[in-house]
Amino acid sequence: MKLIHFLALSEEEQYDTLFMQGSIVAMQKETSVVKKLYTLSSFFVEVHFHSNTNAILYKKIFKEGELLDNYLKNIQLK
């Protein structure tokens, strides 16, 4: 799915598509938030969940840049 098609979906359809077709590639835990990084075709979606209730707080959609770099710096290659 292309990013432009994803953005044309309603909020509910975006989450349905993301959770059914996307793949989790990374996760970061903070005090009250769990961030899960999903990949969906050619872009990424970072979803913020409340750590106690697992409720969705918000999402960030991107293809590259600083948000992705935050995950890449934690990868250790052998």
Side-chain angles (χ1 to χ4, degrees):
M1 169 176 281
K2 291 188 177 187
L3 179 56
I4 194 163
H5 297 125
F6 183 78
L7 294 173
L9 299 173
S10 70
E11 189 84 6
E12 184 178 331
E13 291 171 323
Q14 286 182 3
Y15 282 116
D16 287 345
T17 301
L18 183 62
F19 297 146
M20 292 180 68
Q21 297 178 21
S23 299
I24 298 175
V25 293
M27 187 171 68
Q28 295 179 347
K29 292 183 180 182
E30 297 178 359
T31 304
S32 61
V33 176
V34 175
K35 299 177 187 176
K36 293 183 182 179
L37 182 66
Y38 292 81
T39 183
L40 188 64
S41 189
S42 62
F43 60 94
F44 299 93
V45 181
E46 181 184 70
V47 182
H48 294 231
F49 296 89
H50 188 278
S51 61
N52 293 334
T53 65
N54 208 32
I56 297 171
L57 302 172
Y58 60 93
K59 68 181 179 314
K60 297 178 182 179
I61 304 166
F62 54 95
K63 283 192 163 192
E64 58 188 38
E66 187 176 327
L67 289 174
L68 184 58
D69 292 344
N70 289 334
Y71 289 95
L72 294 177
K73 68 183 177 186
N74 292 327
I75 295 174
Q76 296 182 12
L77 301 175
K78 293 183 178 186

Coordinates of all heavy atoms in Angstrom, one line a residue:
M1 N 0.8 -1.2 0.0 CA 0.0 0.0 0.0 C 0.9 1.2 0.0 O 1.9 1.3 0.7 CB -0.9 0.0 1.2 CG -1.6 1.3 1.5 SD -2.7 1.3 2.9 CE -4.1 0.4 2.1
K2 N 0.5 2.2 -0.8 CA 1.3 3.4 -0.9 C 0.8 4.4 0.3 O -0.3 4.3 0.7 CB 1.1 4.1 -2.2 CG 1.7 3.4 -3.3 CD 1.7 4.1 -4.6 CE 2.5 3.4 -5.7 NZ 2.6 4.1 -6.9
L3 N 1.7 5.2 0.7 CA 1.5 6.1 1.8 C 0.2 7.0 1.5 O -0.6 7.2 2.3 CB 2.7 7.0 2.0 CG 2.6 8.1 3.1 CD1 2.2 7.4 4.5 CD2 3.9 8.8 3.3
I4 N 0.1 7.5 0.3 CA -1.0 8.4 -0.1 C -2.3 7.7 0.1 O -3.3 8.2 0.5 CB -0.8 8.9 -1.5 CG1 -1.8 10.1 -1.7 CG2 -1.0 7.9 -2.6 CD1 -1.4 11.0 -2.9
H5 N -2.4 6.4 -0.2 CA -3.6 5.6 -0.1 C -3.9 5.4 1.4 O -5.1 5.4 1.8 CB -3.5 4.2 -0.8 CG -3.4 4.4 -2.3 ND1 -2.3 3.8 -3.0 CD2 -4.1 5.1 -3.2 CE1 -2.4 4.2 -4.2 NE2 -3.5 4.9 -4.4
F6 N -2.9 5.1 2.2 CA -3.0 4.9 3.6 C -3.6 6.2 4.3 O -4.5 6.2 5.1 CB -1.7 4.6 4.3 CG -1.8 4.3 5.7 CD1 -2.3 3.1 6.2 CD2 -1.4 5.2 6.7 CE1 -2.3 2.8 7.6 CE2 -1.4 5.0 8.0 CZ -1.9 3.8 8.5
L7 N -3.1 7.4 3.9 CA -3.5 8.6 4.4 C -4.9 9.0 4.1 O -5.6 9.7 4.8 CB -2.5 9.8 4.0 CG -1.1 9.6 4.6 CD1 -0.2 10.7 4.0 CD2 -1.2 9.7 6.1
A8 N -5.4 8.4 2.9 CA -6.8 8.7 2.5 C -7.8 7.9 3.3 O -9.0 8.2 3.3 CB -6.9 8.3 1.0
L9 N -7.3 6.9 4.1 CA -8.3 6.1 4.9 C -8.7 6.8 6.1 O -8.0 7.8 6.6 CB -7.5 4.8 5.3 CG -7.1 3.8 4.2 CD1 -6.3 2.7 4.8 CD2 -8.3 3.3 3.5
S10 N -9.8 6.5 6.7 CA -10.2 7.0 8.0 C -9.3 6.6 9.0 O -8.5 5.6 8.9 CB -11.7 6.6 8.3 OG -11.7 5.2 8.6
E11 N -9.3 7.2 10.2 CA -8.4 6.8 11.3 C -8.6 5.3 11.7 O -7.7 4.6 11.9 CB -8.8 7.7 12.5 CG -7.8 7.6 13.7 CD -6.6 8.4 13.5 OE1 -6.5 9.2 12.6 OE2 -5.6 8.3 14.3
E12 N -9.9 4.9 11.8 CA -10.2 3.5 12.1 C -9.7 2.6 11.0 O -9.1 1.5 11.4 CB -11.7 3.3 12.3 CG -12.1 1.9 12.7 CD -13.6 1.8 12.9 OE1 -14.2 2.8 13.3 OE2 -14.1 0.7 12.7
E13 N -9.8 2.9 9.8 CA -9.3 2.1 8.7 C -7.8 2.0 8.7 O -7.2 1.0 8.4 CB -9.8 2.6 7.3 CG -11.3 2.4 7.1 CD -11.8 3.1 5.9 OE1 -11.3 4.2 5.6 OE2 -12.7 2.6 5.2
Q14 N -7.2 3.1 9.0 CA -5.7 3.1 9.1 C -5.2 2.1 10.2 O -4.3 1.3 9.9 CB -5.2 4.5 9.5 CG -5.3 5.5 8.3 CD -4.7 6.9 8.7 OE1 -4.2 7.1 9.8 NE2 -4.8 7.8 7.7
Y15 N -5.8 2.2 11.4 CA -5.4 1.2 12.4 C -5.7 -0.2 12.0 O -4.9 -1.1 12.2 CB -6.0 1.6 13.7 CG -5.4 2.7 14.4 CD1 -6.1 3.9 14.7 CD2 -4.1 2.7 14.9 CE1 -5.4 5.0 15.3 CE2 -3.4 3.7 15.5 CZ -4.1 4.9 15.7 OH -3.5 5.9 16.3
D16 N -6.9 -0.4 11.4 CA -7.2 -1.8 11.0 C -6.2 -2.3 10.0 O -5.7 -3.4 10.1 CB -8.6 -1.8 10.4 CG -9.8 -1.7 11.4 OD1 -9.5 -1.8 12.6 OD2 -10.9 -1.4 11.0
T17 N -5.9 -1.5 9.0 CA -4.9 -1.9 8.0 C -3.6 -2.1 8.6 O -2.9 -3.1 8.3 CB -4.8 -0.8 6.9 OG1 -6.1 -0.6 6.3 CG2 -3.8 -1.1 5.8
L18 N -3.1 -1.2 9.5 CA -1.8 -1.3 10.1 C -1.7 -2.6 10.9 O -0.7 -3.4 10.8 CB -1.6 -0.1 11.0 CG -0.2 -0.1 11.7 CD1 0.9 0.0 10.7 CD2 -0.2 1.1 12.6
F19 N -2.7 -2.9 11.7 CA -2.6 -4.1 12.6 C -2.8 -5.4 11.8 O -2.3 -6.5 12.3 CB -3.6 -4.0 13.7 CG -3.4 -2.8 14.7 CD1 -4.5 -2.2 15.2 CD2 -2.1 -2.4 14.9 CE1 -4.2 -1.1 16.1 CE2 -1.9 -1.3 15.8 CZ -2.9 -0.7 16.4
M20 N -3.5 -5.4 10.7 CA -3.7 -6.6 9.9 C -2.6 -6.8 8.9 O -2.3 -8.0 8.6 CB -5.1 -6.6 9.2 CG -6.3 -6.6 10.2 SD -7.9 -6.6 9.4 CE -7.9 -8.1 8.6
Q21 N -2.1 -5.8 8.3 CA -1.1 -6.0 7.2 C 0.3 -5.5 7.6 O 1.2 -5.9 6.9 CB -1.6 -5.1 6.0 CG -2.9 -5.6 5.4 CD -3.4 -4.8 4.2 OE1 -2.6 -4.1 3.6 NE2 -4.6 -4.8 3.9
G22 N 0.4 -4.7 8.6 CA 1.7 -4.2 9.0 C 2.5 -5.2 9.8 O 2.0 -6.2 10.3
S23 N 3.8 -5.0 9.9 CA 4.7 -5.9 10.7 C 5.4 -5.0 11.8 O 5.9 -3.9 11.4 CB 5.7 -6.5 9.8 OG 5.1 -7.3 8.9
I24 N 5.5 -5.5 13.0 CA 6.2 -4.8 14.0 C 7.7 -5.1 13.8 O 8.1 -6.2 13.7 CB 5.8 -5.3 15.4 CG1 4.3 -4.9 15.7 CG2 6.7 -4.6 16.5 CD1 3.8 -5.5 17.0
V25 N 8.5 -4.0 13.7 CA 9.9 -4.2 13.5 C 10.7 -3.7 14.7 O 11.9 -4.0 14.8 CB 10.4 -3.4 12.2 CG1 9.8 -4.1 11.0 CG2 10.0 -2.0 12.2
A26 N 10.1 -3.0 15.6 CA 10.9 -2.5 16.8 C 9.9 -2.1 17.9 O 8.7 -1.8 17.6 CB 11.8 -1.4 16.4
M27 N 10.4 -2.0 19.1 CA 9.6 -1.6 20.2 C 10.5 -0.9 21.2 O 11.6 -1.3 21.4 CB 8.9 -2.7 20.8 CG 7.9 -2.3 21.9 SD 6.8 -3.7 22.5 CE 8.0 -4.7 23.3
Q28 N 9.9 0.2 21.8 CA 10.7 0.9 22.9 C 9.7 1.1 24.0 O 8.6 1.5 23.8 CB 11.1 2.3 22.4 CG 12.2 2.2 21.3 CD 12.6 3.6 20.8 OE1 12.0 4.6 21.1 NE2 13.7 3.7 20.1
K29 N 10.2 0.9 25.2 CA 9.4 1.1 26.4 C 9.9 2.3 27.2 O 11.1 2.4 27.4 CB 9.4 -0.2 27.3 CG 8.7 -1.4 26.7 CD 8.7 -2.5 27.7 CE 8.0 -3.7 27.0 NZ 8.0 -4.9 27.9
E30 N 8.9 3.1 27.6 CA 9.2 4.3 28.5 C 8.4 4.1 29.7 O 7.7 3.1 29.9 CB 9.0 5.6 27.7 CG 9.9 5.7 26.5 CD 9.6 7.0 25.7 OE1 8.7 7.8 26.1 OE2 10.3 7.2 24.7
T31 N 8.4 5.1 30.6 CA 7.7 5.0 31.9 C 6.2 4.7 31.7 O 5.7 3.7 32.2 CB 7.9 6.2 32.7 OG1 9.3 6.5 32.9 CG2 7.2 6.1 34.0
S32 N 5.5 5.5 30.9 CA 4.1 5.3 30.8 C 3.6 5.0 29.3 O 2.4 5.0 29.0 CB 3.3 6.5 31.3 OG 3.7 7.7 30.6
V33 N 4.6 4.9 28.4 CA 4.3 4.7 27.0 C 5.1 3.6 26.4 O 6.3 3.4 26.8 CB 4.6 6.0 26.2 CG1 4.4 5.8 24.8 CG2 3.8 7.2 26.7
V34 N 4.5 2.8 25.6 CA 5.2 1.8 24.8 C 5.0 2.2 23.3 O 3.9 2.5 22.8 CB 4.5 0.4 25.0 CG1 5.2 -0.6 24.0 CG2 4.7 -0.1 26.4
K35 N 6.2 2.4 22.6 CA 6.2 2.7 21.2 C 6.4 1.5 20.4 O 7.4 0.8 20.6 CB 7.2 3.8 20.9 CG 7.1 5.1 21.7 CD 8.3 6.0 21.4 CE 8.3 7.2 22.2 NZ 9.5 8.0 21.9
K36 N 5.6 1.2 19.4 CA 5.8 0.1 18.5 C 5.9 0.7 17.1 O 5.1 1.5 16.7 CB 4.6 -0.9 18.6 CG 4.5 -1.6 19.9 CD 3.4 -2.6 19.9 CE 3.3 -3.3 21.3 NZ 2.2 -4.3 21.3
L37 N 7.0 0.2 16.5 CA 7.3 0.7 15.1 C 6.8 -0.4 14.1 O 7.3 -1.5 14.2 CB 8.8 0.9 14.9 CG 9.2 1.4 13.5 CD1 8.6 2.8 13.3 CD2 10.7 1.5 13.4
Y38 N 5.9 0.0 13.3 CA 5.3 -0.9 12.3 C 5.8 -0.5 10.9 O 6.1 0.7 10.7 CB 3.8 -0.8 12.2 CG 3.1 -1.4 13.4 CD1 2.9 -0.6 14.6 CD2 2.5 -2.6 13.4 CE1 2.3 -1.1 15.7 CE2 1.8 -3.1 14.5 CZ 1.7 -2.3 15.7 OH 1.0 -2.8 16.8
T39 N 6.0 -1.5 10.0 CA 6.3 -1.2 8.6 C 5.1 -1.7 7.8 O 4.5 -2.7 8.1 CB 7.6 -1.8 8.2 OG1 7.9 -1.4 6.8 CG2 7.6 -3.3 8.2
L40 N 4.8 -0.9 6.8 CA 3.7 -1.2 5.9 C 4.1 -0.7 4.6 O 4.0 0.5 4.2 CB 2.4 -0.4 6.4 CG 1.1 -0.8 5.7 CD1 0.7 -2.3 5.9 CD2 0.0 0.1 6.2
S41 N 4.6 -1.7 3.8 CA 5.1 -1.4 2.4 C 6.3 -0.5 2.5 O 7.3 -0.9 2.9 CB 3.9 -0.9 1.6 OG 4.3 -0.8 0.2
S42 N 6.1 0.7 2.1 CA 7.3 1.6 1.9 C 7.4 2.7 3.0 O 8.1 3.7 2.8 CB 7.3 2.3 0.5 OG 6.1 3.0 0.4
F43 N 6.6 2.6 4.1 CA 6.7 3.6 5.1 C 6.5 3.0 6.5 O 6.3 1.8 6.6 CB 5.6 4.7 4.9 CG 4.2 4.1 4.9 CD1 3.4 4.2 6.0 CD2 3.6 3.6 3.7 CE1 2.1 3.7 6.0 CE2 2.3 3.2 3.7 CZ 1.6 3.2 4.8
F44 N 6.7 3.8 7.5 CA 6.7 3.3 8.9 C 5.6 4.1 9.6 O 5.3 5.2 9.3 CB 8.0 3.6 9.6 CG 9.1 2.8 8.9 CD1 9.9 3.4 7.9 CD2 9.5 1.5 9.3 CE1 11.0 2.8 7.3 CE2 10.5 0.9 8.7 CZ 11.2 1.5 7.7
V45 N 5.0 3.4 10.7 CA 4.1 4.0 11.6 C 4.5 3.7 13.0 O 4.6 2.5 13.3 CB 2.6 3.5 11.3 CG1 1.7 4.2 12.2 CG2 2.2 3.7 9.9
E46 N 4.7 4.7 13.8 CA 5.1 4.6 15.2 C 3.8 4.8 16.0 O 3.2 5.9 15.9 CB 6.1 5.6 15.6 CG 6.6 5.5 17.0 CD 7.6 6.5 17.4 OE1 7.1 7.7 17.5 OE2 8.7 6.2 17.6
V47 N 3.3 3.8 16.7 CA 2.1 3.9 17.5 C 2.5 3.9 18.9 O 3.3 3.1 19.4 CB 1.2 2.7 17.2 CG1 -0.1 2.8 18.0 CG2 0.8 2.6 15.7
H48 N 1.9 4.9 19.6 CA 2.2 5.1 21.1 C 1.0 4.5 21.8 O -0.1 4.9 21.6 CB 2.3 6.6 21.4 CG 3.6 7.2 20.8 ND1 4.5 7.9 21.5 CD2 4.0 7.2 19.5 CE1 5.4 8.3 20.7 NE2 5.2 7.9 19.5
F49 N 1.3 3.6 22.7 CA 0.3 2.9 23.6 C 0.5 3.3 25.0 O 1.7 3.4 25.4 CB 0.4 1.4 23.5 CG 0.1 0.8 22.1 CD1 1.2 0.7 21.2 CD2 -1.1 0.4 21.7 CE1 0.9 0.1 19.9 CE2 -1.4 -0.1 20.5 CZ -0.4 -0.3 19.6
H50 N -0.5 3.4 25.8 CA -0.4 3.6 27.2 C 0.1 2.3 27.8 O -0.4 1.2 27.5 CB -1.7 4.0 27.9 CG -1.6 4.4 29.3 ND1 -1.5 3.5 30.3 CD2 -1.4 5.7 29.9 CE1 -1.4 4.2 31.5 NE2 -1.3 5.5 31.2
S51 N 1.2 2.3 28.6 CA 1.8 1.1 29.1 C 0.9 0.3 30.0 O 1.0 -0.9 30.1 CB 3.1 1.4 29.7 OG 3.0 2.2 30.9
N52 N 0.0 0.9 30.8 CA -0.8 0.2 31.7 C -2.1 -0.4 31.1 O -2.5 -1.5 31.3 CB -1.2 1.0 32.9 CG 0.0 1.3 33.8 OD1 1.0 0.6 33.8 ND2 0.0 2.4 34.5
T53 N -2.7 0.4 30.2 CA -4.0 0.1 29.6 C -3.9 -0.4 28.2 O -4.9 -1.0 27.7 CB -5.0 1.3 29.6 OG1 -4.4 2.3 28.8 CG2 -5.1 1.8 31.0
N54 N -2.8 -0.2 27.6 CA -2.6 -0.6 26.2 C -3.5 0.2 25.2 O -3.6 -0.2 24.1 CB -2.8 -2.1 25.9 CG -1.9 -2.6 24.8 OD1 -0.9 -2.1 24.5 ND2 -2.4 -3.6 24.1
A55 N -4.0 1.3 25.7 CA -4.9 2.2 24.9 C -3.9 2.9 23.9 O -2.8 3.3 24.2 CB -5.6 3.1 25.7
I56 N -4.4 3.1 22.7 CA -3.7 3.9 21.7 C -3.7 5.3 22.0 O -4.8 5.9 22.2 CB -4.2 3.6 20.3 CG1 -4.1 2.2 19.9 CG2 -3.5 4.5 19.3 CD1 -4.8 1.8 18.6
L57 N -2.6 6.0 22.1 CA -2.5 7.4 22.4 C -2.5 8.2 21.1 O -3.2 9.2 21.0 CB -1.3 7.7 23.3 CG -1.2 6.9 24.6 CD1 0.1 7.2 25.3 CD2 -2.4 7.4 25.5
Y58 N -1.6 7.9 20.2 CA -1.5 8.5 18.9 C -0.5 7.8 18.0 O 0.1 6.8 18.5 CB -1.1 10.0 19.0 CG 0.2 10.3 19.7 CD1 1.4 10.4 19.0 CD2 0.3 10.4 21.1 CE1 2.6 10.6 19.6 CE2 1.5 10.6 21.7 CZ 2.6 10.8 21.0 OH 3.8 11.0 21.6
K59 N -0.4 8.2 16.8 CA 0.6 7.6 15.9 C 1.3 8.6 15.1 O 0.8 9.8 15.0 CB -0.2 6.6 14.9 CG -1.1 7.3 13.9 CD -1.7 6.3 13.0 CE -2.7 6.8 12.0 NZ -3.6 7.8 12.4
K60 N 2.5 8.3 14.6 CA 3.3 9.1 13.7 C 3.6 8.3 12.5 O 4.0 7.1 12.6 CB 4.6 9.5 14.4 CG 4.4 10.4 15.7 CD 5.7 10.7 16.3 CE 5.5 11.5 17.6 NZ 6.8 11.7 18.3
I61 N 3.5 8.9 11.3 CA 3.7 8.2 10.1 C 4.9 8.9 9.4 O 4.9 10.1 9.3 CB 2.4 8.3 9.2 CG1 1.2 7.8 9.9 CG2 2.6 7.6 7.8 CD1 -0.1 8.1 9.3
F62 N 5.8 8.1 8.9 CA 7.0 8.7 8.2 C 7.6 7.6 7.3 O 7.4 6.5 7.4 CB 8.0 9.2 9.3 CG 8.4 8.1 10.3 CD1 9.5 7.4 10.1 CD2 7.6 7.9 11.4 CE1 9.9 6.4 11.0 CE2 8.0 7.0 12.3 CZ 9.1 6.2 12.1
K63 N 8.5 8.1 6.4 CA 9.3 7.3 5.5 C 10.7 7.2 5.9 O 11.4 6.2 5.7 CB 9.2 7.8 4.1 CG 7.9 7.5 3.4 CD 8.0 7.7 1.9 CE 6.8 7.0 1.2 NZ 7.1 7.0 -0.2
E64 N 11.2 8.3 6.5 CA 12.7 8.3 6.8 C 12.9 9.4 7.8 O 11.9 10.1 8.2 CB 13.5 8.5 5.6 CG 13.2 9.8 4.9 CD 13.9 9.9 3.5 OE1 14.1 8.9 2.8 OE2 14.2 11.1 3.2
G65 N 14.1 9.6 8.2 CA 14.4 10.8 9.1 C 14.7 10.4 10.5 O 15.0 9.3 10.8
E66 N 14.6 11.4 11.3 CA 15.0 11.3 12.7 C 14.2 10.3 13.5 O 14.8 9.6 14.3 CB 14.8 12.7 13.4 CG 15.4 12.8 14.8 CD 15.3 14.1 15.4 OE1 15.4 15.1 14.7 OE2 15.1 14.2 16.7
L67 N 12.9 10.1 13.3 CA 12.2 9.1 14.0 C 12.7 7.7 13.7 O 12.8 6.9 14.6 CB 10.7 9.2 13.6 CG 10.0 10.4 14.2 CD1 8.5 10.5 13.7 CD2 9.9 10.3 15.7
L68 N 13.0 7.5 12.4 CA 13.6 6.1 12.1 C 15.0 6.0 12.6 O 15.4 4.9 13.1 CB 13.6 6.0 10.6 CG 14.0 4.6 10.0 CD1 13.2 3.5 10.6 CD2 14.0 4.6 8.5
D69 N 15.8 7.1 12.6 CA 17.1 7.0 13.1 C 17.2 6.6 14.6 O 18.1 6.0 15.1 CB 17.8 8.4 13.0 CG 18.1 8.7 11.5 OD1 18.0 7.8 10.6 OD2 18.4 9.9 11.2
N70 N 16.1 7.0 15.4 CA 16.1 6.7 16.8 C 16.0 5.2 17.0 O 16.5 4.7 18.0 CB 14.8 7.3 17.5 CG 15.0 8.8 17.6 OD1 16.1 9.3 17.7 ND2 13.9 9.5 17.6
Y71 N 15.4 4.5 16.1 CA 15.4 3.0 16.2 C 16.6 2.4 15.6 O 17.1 1.4 16.1 CB 14.1 2.5 15.4 CG 12.8 2.8 16.1 CD1 12.1 3.9 15.8 CD2 12.4 1.9 17.1 CE1 10.9 4.2 16.4 CE2 11.2 2.2 17.8 CZ 10.4 3.3 17.4 OH 9.3 3.6 18.1
L72 N 17.2 2.9 14.5 CA 18.3 2.3 13.9 C 19.6 2.4 14.8 O 20.4 1.5 14.7 CB 18.6 3.0 12.5 CG 17.5 2.8 11.5 CD1 17.9 3.7 10.2 CD2 17.4 1.4 11.1
K73 N 19.7 3.4 15.6 CA 20.9 3.5 16.5 C 20.9 2.4 17.5 O 22.0 2.2 18.1 CB 21.0 4.9 17.1 CG 19.9 5.2 18.1 CD 20.1 6.7 18.6 CE 19.0 7.0 19.6 NZ 19.0 8.4 19.9
N74 N 19.8 1.8 17.8 CA 19.8 0.7 18.8 C 20.0 -0.7 18.2 O 20.1 -1.6 18.9 CB 18.4 0.7 19.5 CG 18.2 1.9 20.3 OD1 19.1 2.5 20.9 ND2 17.0 2.4 20.4
I75 N 20.2 -0.7 16.9 CA 20.5 -2.0 16.2 C 22.0 -2.3 16.3 O 22.8 -1.4 16.0 CB 20.0 -2.0 14.8 CG1 18.5 -1.9 14.7 CG2 20.5 -3.3 14.0 CD1 17.9 -1.7 13.3
Q76 N 22.3 -3.5 16.8 CA 23.7 -3.9 16.8 C 24.0 -5.0 15.8 O 23.4 -6.1 15.9 CB 24.1 -4.3 18.2 CG 23.9 -3.2 19.3 CD 24.3 -3.7 20.6 OE1 24.9 -4.7 20.8 NE2 24.0 -2.8 21.6
L77 N 24.8 -4.7 14.9 CA 25.2 -5.7 13.9 C 26.4 -6.4 14.3 O 27.3 -5.9 14.9 CB 25.4 -5.0 12.5 CG 24.3 -4.2 11.9 CD1 24.7 -3.4 10.7 CD2 23.1 -5.1 11.6
K78 N 26.4 -7.7 13.9 CA 27.6 -8.6 14.3 C 28.4 -8.8 13.1 O 28.0 -8.9 12.0 CB 27.1 -9.9 14.9 CG 26.4 -9.7 16.2 CD 26.1 -11.0 16.8 CE 25.4 -10.8 18.1 NZ 25.1 -12.1 18.8

